[in-house]
Amino acid sequence: MPFYVHFNALCDLRNPALYKYPFMRLVMTPPLEIENLLPYALQVCVIDKTVGRKWISGLARGGVAAVHAVQPGHLVLLTMRIPDAGFDQCDGTIIETSDEDEYPVDDTITVADRQGIRLALKLHRMDISSSGGRCRRVSIYAPYVMVNRSGLKLFYSSKGFFKGVSAVAGQDLQRNAPLEAESAPVPASGSDTDARPVMFSFGSYDLKNRALVRVADSEWSRPLSFDALGSAAEVIIPAADRLTDTHLGIQIEPGRGRYSHTRVVTFTSRYVVKNMTGVALQYRTVYNTSTAAVIGDGERQALHTLHRSRRRLLTVACAHRDGSGAMQPDVRNGQWSAPFSIDDVGRAYVRMPVSRADALDSGRGEML
């Protein structure tokens, strides 16, 4: 296979010595570069249709591959696979052309997952530095990347202005289990419990495009807009029984550096309970009279599910120790504190009726 390198001569035309001595620099660049700005590794195939030549290679996340098998000005196609994200099908797209009128260059590339759901990824073209405008770098990126740091299994869907609700590509629906507990441990950043990023695109740009999210078999949330960069808000997901809601936080930020074309949408826990009292506690909402959650000293737990009400009130008590010494919740016999609102940001003091052995009479709560 031929190996092509583009040469470009750089010189200062204002220097009079240029016409007496060869004052110039020869810069060698590849005819084409492919940059992966996706959160997954790629398998790339570049086809030069003018001469019938093919180039296949793997491309790591954030990597740049130099393609020396094509020539500038030829009709060049790009196709790819994302096996780690479940995208094994791809529609070829034109990234270089010899005739703009007959074969225009595309700015999107469409892939499909194993269920046939399609995802439109974006292509950004720019000239390679010092190539004289003859060589190009093509960057592949996703318009949106959704990151789930709530510890729950989330489903996503999109809703356009002229079309109904459609599923988001790249979701493994078999791995999403029903929500079983009111509280769950808070996953640490970068831990194995973090969900993998989900690439997302509306397909076409419209200010009325919206996204929806749900947990297991719950109802869909209200339509969400991903266009408000730098915003942080609360997402309320109603349960199927209409008695409880799941509360999450959402933050929308632009990518950093060369990832600035991608908007990162992060879902986190809206409420987190942290025990710094020195003893094990149990807590529950005032509307939940059947179960409670036990939290040890120094532990953190995410509080996801709350009963639907105007005020979100929490009450705490010392955890009950059973015959084996393990801490167990005891809703009926627990000496519960007065309810306090978890929406009132600031510091509040909570008095708990306890026995003398526990050596704790009042505690301080901080809502951040």
Side-chain angles (χ1 to χ4, degrees):
M1 180 181 295
F3 188 90
Y4 295 102
V5 178
H6 179 74
F7 287 86
N8 185 36
L10 299 180
C11 57
D12 186 5
L13 298 178
R14 298 172 299 179
N15 189 353
L18 176 66
Y19 302 97
K20 297 181 180 180
Y21 304 96
F23 287 162
M24 67 174 58
R25 293 185 298 117
L26 287 179
V27 180
M28 296 183 296
T29 58
L32 179 66
E33 290 182 347
I34 305 295
E35 183 179 25
N36 179 15
L37 298 181
L38 301 177
Y40 298 97
L42 301 177
Q43 293 181 3
V44 181
C45 178
V46 178
I47 304 172
D48 190 334
K49 296 291 290 184
T50 302
V51 296
R53 191 176 298 117
K54 183 183 295 186
W55 179 85
I56 301 175
S57 177
L59 186 55
R61 179 181 61 183
V64 179
V67 183
H68 294 274
V70 300
Q71 292 180 262
H74 285 191
L75 179 60
V76 180
L77 306 181
L78 172 67
T79 182
M80 66 180 189
R81 296 173 60 247
I82 316 176
D84 293 341
F87 294 97
D88 297 327
Q89 306 174 34
C90 177
D91 298 339
T93 186
I94 300 176
I95 58 175
E96 286 287 340
T97 182
S98 55
D99 190 345
E100 285 281 354
D101 297 331
E102 186 175 1
Y103 302 106
V105 176
D106 298 323
D107 59 355
T108 61
I109 182 170
T110 303
V111 294
D113 61 9
R114 298 182 179 95
Q115 298 177 348
I117 305 176
R118 300 163 68 85
L119 170 66
L121 301 174
K122 291 292 185 178
L123 301 177
H124 177 68
R125 292 162 48 88
M126 61 178 298
D127 294 338
I128 298 179
S129 178
S130 302
S131 67
R134 292 277 297 168
C135 304
R136 304 284 189 274
R137 169 180 289 187
V138 179
S139 302
I140 307 170
Y141 69 94
Y144 305 92
V145 171
M146 295 184 290
V147 182
N148 176 17
R149 297 192 183 277
S150 66
L152 302 176
K153 300 297 183 181
L154 301 180
F155 295 91
Y156 310 100
S157 64
S158 62
K159 184 179 185 302
F161 183 66
F162 293 105
K163 63 180 181 179
V165 178
S166 58
V168 173
Q171 299 184 88
D172 190 354
L173 302 182
Q174 301 299 327
R175 293 185 180 181
N176 288 274
L179 181 64
E180 298 178 352
E182 182 181 86
S183 59
V186 179
S189 178
S191 65
D192 295 336
T193 57
D194 286 351
R196 58 187 179 87
V198 176
M199 297 177 291
F200 176 66
S201 173
F202 287 108
S204 61
Y205 178 76
D206 193 332
L207 290 176
K208 296 184 179 181
N209 285 333
R210 295 295 184 267
L212 299 96
V213 62
R214 68 181 175 92
V215 180
D217 55 352
S218 70
E219 300 290 336
W220 289 105
S221 69
R222 61 176 177 82
L224 306 173
S225 174
F226 291 163
D227 294 326
L229 289 176
S231 64
E234 181 183 23
V235 179
I236 300 177
I237 305 174
D241 57 7
R242 299 285 183 171
L243 298 177
T244 59
D245 295 327
T246 299
H247 297 260
L248 301 177
I250 181 174
Q251 187 174 12
I252 305 172
E253 294 180 325
R256 298 180 179 179
R258 55 179 177 161
Y259 299 94
S260 59
H261 296 286
T262 299
R263 299 182 179 183
V264 182
V265 182
T266 305
F267 292 91
T268 58
S269 302
R270 176 65 177 88
Y271 301 102
V272 176
V273 180
K274 183 176 182 180
N275 182 8
M276 301 179 63
T277 61
V279 296
L281 299 176
Q282 57 178 334
Y283 65 93
R284 62 178 177 85
T285 60
V286 295
Y287 309 100
N288 184 6
T289 59
S290 58
T291 60
V294 175
I295 180 171
D297 179 40
E299 293 182 358
R300 293 190 306 166
Q301 291 182 2
L303 181 61
H304 293 128
T305 306
L306 297 173
H307 282 72
R308 186 172 299 179
S309 62
R310 292 185 177 180
R311 299 191 64 192
R312 300 161 191 173
L313 302 177
L314 205 67
T315 179
V316 296
C318 289
H320 172 70
R321 191 182 301 273
D322 59 10
S324 61
M327 292 297 178
Q328 299 293 335
D330 189 359
V331 178
R332 178 173 299 180
N333 299 321
Q335 297 179 343
W336 296 95
S337 69
F340 58 93
S341 175
I342 58 178
D343 287 326
D344 296 337
V345 178
R347 182 175 299 176
Y349 288 87
V350 180
R351 181 175 294 273
M352 286 190 308
V354 295
S355 61
R356 295 181 179 178
D358 292 323
L360 179 65
D361 184 58
S362 63
R364 187 184 67 188
E366 293 187 14
M367 276 62 73
L368 305 178

